[in-house]
Amino acid sequence: MSENSVLDLKNKKVYPSWTKCTVRYSDLDPNGHVNNGAINAFFEDGRICFRNEYMLRLGDDILTGFAIVKFSVNYWAPIFFPGSVEIGTVVTRIGTSSYDLGQGVFDSDQCVATADVVTVFFDTNNNKSQELTDELKRILKSAM
């Protein structure tokens, strides 16, 4: 993806990483819709699946040096119980010490929510951001 292009996060075809979650009765709000907290947890499951699928090969230590600094969501349609959703995750930008993810939650083929996430790589010893390694950049690029 070039810097000037923008991915359509409502399009299932843009996502290289996928996970599936079951909608629980406890996820519902008083209106019978899945609440935003549960949808945000689906996004988190998608990010964890992405890290395990792409970054775990760098070792367990790589999973502790990341922090989300921005999480922005658009809710497009309601989700109902019972059911399941699929969560897609794609890298949309690789910076010096951070990277961006785009995510989508899908009920069958309908996109019900999208998220933009900025994650910073940091040194766990001093809690300061650090440059992404060349190997990590290569792995992130493979998920664009």
Side-chain angles (χ1 to χ4, degrees):
M1 182 178 90
S2 72
E3 284 187 37
N4 294 330
S5 67
V6 176
L7 288 177
D8 177 6
L9 297 178
K10 290 183 176 183
N11 181 347
K12 284 181 104 172
K13 294 178 181 176
V14 304
Y15 298 104
S17 177
W18 286 95
T19 192
K20 189 172 188 175
C21 292
T22 301
V23 175
R24 304 169 309 163
Y25 181 77
S26 62
D27 294 334
L28 302 181
D29 65 17
N31 297 315
H33 307 128
V34 173
N35 69 56
N36 65 315
I39 293 171
N40 294 350
F42 296 151
F43 284 123
E44 181 179 42
D45 285 349
R47 290 190 304 276
I48 297 303
C49 178
F50 170 80
R51 283 192 191 169
N52 288 342
E53 183 178 352
Y54 283 88
M55 297 180 191
L56 201 55
R57 63 187 99 159
L58 296 175
D60 291 338
D61 292 343
I62 197 69
L63 300 181
T64 59
F66 296 98
I68 292 177
V69 296
K70 182 180 177 187
F71 179 75
S72 174
V73 179
N74 288 307
Y75 304 100
W76 303 109
I79 307 170
F80 300 96
F81 175 85
S84 62
V85 293
E86 295 176 289
I87 304 92
T89 303
V90 63
V91 175
T92 58
R93 183 193 66 85
I94 302 170
T96 303
S97 62
S98 66
Y99 63 92
D100 297 359
L101 296 174
Q103 294 188 280
V105 174
F106 292 84
D107 182 0
S108 296
D109 286 329
Q110 181 182 21
C111 182
V112 296
T114 54
D116 293 298
V117 184
V118 179
T119 303
V120 171
F121 187 45
F122 71 95
D123 183 332
T124 56
N125 294 317
N126 63 19
N127 289 325
K128 294 186 187 245
S129 65
Q130 65 179 349
E131 280 195 34
L132 298 168
T133 66
D134 289 339
E135 187 174 13
L136 187 50
K137 285 181 182 179
R138 181 184 54 74
I139 288 170
L140 291 169
K141 189 169 184 166
S142 75
M144 292 185 97

